Amino acid sequence: MHNLNNITFLTSGLNKGGSERVISIFANNLSSKGRKISIVSIRNTGCSYEIDSSVDISFLSKLKKRPLIPSGPFSIFKNLIMLKKKLNKLRSKTIIAFGPPASAYAVLTKLFLKRNIIVTIRNNPHRTNLILKLTTLIFYRFADLIILQNEQQL
């Protein structure tokens, strides 16, 4: 069973978008029920939605223009190390990742940490490019739970 008293949402950014809105709704709702909620964004995009002050929001990158998908293995490894340090500090037992890049990073943290990893698929499978399809096929199988938005994503 997943520990839902201390949850971290992992996302690529918190600017305006559907996933970001869902994260803000979940975070605010769960926080109002007394749960410890954190949001970690890979990129420093700022936050476009109102999020309760009890929710810890942090950005892995201080740079606003840092690429979402790093240019090489060293950059990926550096991001993983930063994420590992952040997740250790937050002590969340459950990580809920939104989007393929964040989900891939979340699954890769299982190499270092024992956490429950939940990934979400919100993209239309008929409009998904090859890179997103490959990310889904390679990484999502290692998640503890996959949340689908609709039946077409099965």
Side-chain angles (χ1 to χ4, degrees), residues 6-130:
N6 186 348
I7 301 170
T8 294
F9 290 97
L10 181 62
T11 183
S12 58
L14 282 171
N15 52 335
K16 287 189 177 186
S19 293
E20 295 81 356
R21 182 171 180 268
V22 170
I23 290 169
S24 69
I25 292 168
F26 281 159
N28 289 334
N29 184 284
L30 292 168
S31 176
S32 73
K33 294 180 186 208
R35 293 187 169 94
K36 183 176 186 276
I37 304 298
S38 305
I39 300 172
V40 176
S41 175
I42 296 169
R43 293 181 296 164
N44 186 356
T45 58
C47 185
S48 298
Y49 293 97
E50 189 173 320
I51 296 177
D52 189 271
S53 62
S54 65
V55 175
D56 178 59
I57 301 172
S58 56
F59 301 94
L60 287 184
S61 173
K62 303 293 182 214
L63 304 172
K64 293 185 187 243
K65 300 264 182 183
R66 186 176 193 164
L68 179 57
I69 301 171
S71 58
F74 179 75
S75 296
I76 293 170
F77 184 72
K78 184 178 174 184
N79 282 351
L80 271 174
I81 296 301
M82 288 190 304
L83 181 58
K84 175 189 178 256
K85 288 178 183 177
K86 184 51 138 178
L87 294 175
N88 272 336
K89 184 178 177 185
L90 294 171
R91 297 183 181 204
S92 298
K93 297 297 180 197
T94 300
I95 313 300
I96 303 175
F98 280 76
S103 294
Y105 276 114
V107 168
L108 285 170
T109 64
K110 290 184 91 162
L111 296 170
F112 311 112
L113 306 169
K114 291 186 179 184
R115 302 291 194 269
N116 296 312
I117 304 296
I118 300 172
V119 297
T120 62
I121 299 177
R122 295 181 40 85
N123 302 48
N124 180 335
H126 303 294
R127 294 185 184 175
T128 302
N129 67 37
L130 182 60

